[in-house]
Amino acid sequence: MDLNIELLAKKAIEAKEHAYVPYSHFRVGAALLTADGKIYTGCNIENAAYTPTNCAERTAFFKAVSEGERDFTAIAISGDADDYLYPCGVCRQVMSEFCKADTFQIILVKEDGTYKIFTLEELLPGAFTETELKKGQRM
């Protein structure tokens, strides 16, 4: 499947419109691409208790996984910031559960559409994969 960065970026920016952010007023949107070309979007959803808050990236992943998806190619992330918005550690760990660290692409998108691309391995070096955990090995 070819990676259409512009489409993913657009979908991530659009997903911010659905964010529920009554406390921070900081919207984040994500667009997750499956290996067969489906796109699942997500937004951040806040809660007054804070810990039940869910990031946009995890919302997209959990929607996709709940529909039976397990093979992912890339994710685009866009937030209400003047700079690139990197995924938090919890989101990176969720990505490592379902994605190949050396090939999964994380696309950080500014509101104007400019972007940077990283692999999961670059943003979460030394992460365990399910296979390595079973074997007792590290990356």
Side-chain angles (χ1 to χ4, degrees):
M1 170 97 299
D2 288 331
L3 179 60
N4 185 334
I5 295 171
E6 289 75 22
L7 176 60
L8 274 183
K10 179 179 179 241
K11 293 288 187 183
I13 291 168
E14 289 173 356
K16 289 190 302 186
E17 297 302 317
H18 301 290
Y20 177 75
V21 292
Y23 309 104
S24 72
H25 307 287
F26 186 83
R27 303 171 309 152
V28 180
L32 177 64
L33 180 65
T34 66
D36 62 357
K38 293 179 191 165
I39 297 174
Y40 289 84
T41 59
C43 60
N44 55 325
I45 303 167
E46 294 181 344
N47 186 282
Y50 188 69
T51 56
T53 293
N54 204 51
C55 296
E57 301 92 307
R58 282 181 281 144
T59 300
F61 266 96
F62 296 161
K63 283 170 64 176
V65 170
S66 73
E67 296 294 322
E69 300 290 349
R70 298 292 188 277
D71 195 4
F72 304 103
T73 305
I75 190 167
I77 305 162
S78 182
D80 283 340
D82 292 334
D83 203 356
Y84 298 104
L85 183 66
Y86 290 78
C88 74
V90 175
C91 288
R92 294 177 201 200
Q93 189 59 47
V94 168
M95 291 175 196
S96 76
E97 183 74 21
F98 295 103
C99 305
K100 295 178 181 150
D102 60 339
T103 59
F104 183 73
Q105 294 185 316
I106 300 169
I107 305 158
L108 309 179
V109 185
K110 289 185 181 180
E111 186 71 30
D112 67 4
T114 59
Y115 59 87
K116 287 184 179 182
I117 302 175
F118 297 90
T119 64
L120 177 57
E121 187 172 53
E122 290 174 307
L123 296 184
L124 189 63
F128 287 101
T129 64
E130 183 178 345
T131 303
E132 291 162 339
L133 284 173
K134 289 178 183 175
K135 291 180 181 178
Q137 300 172 342
R138 281 187 66 114
M139 287 175 70

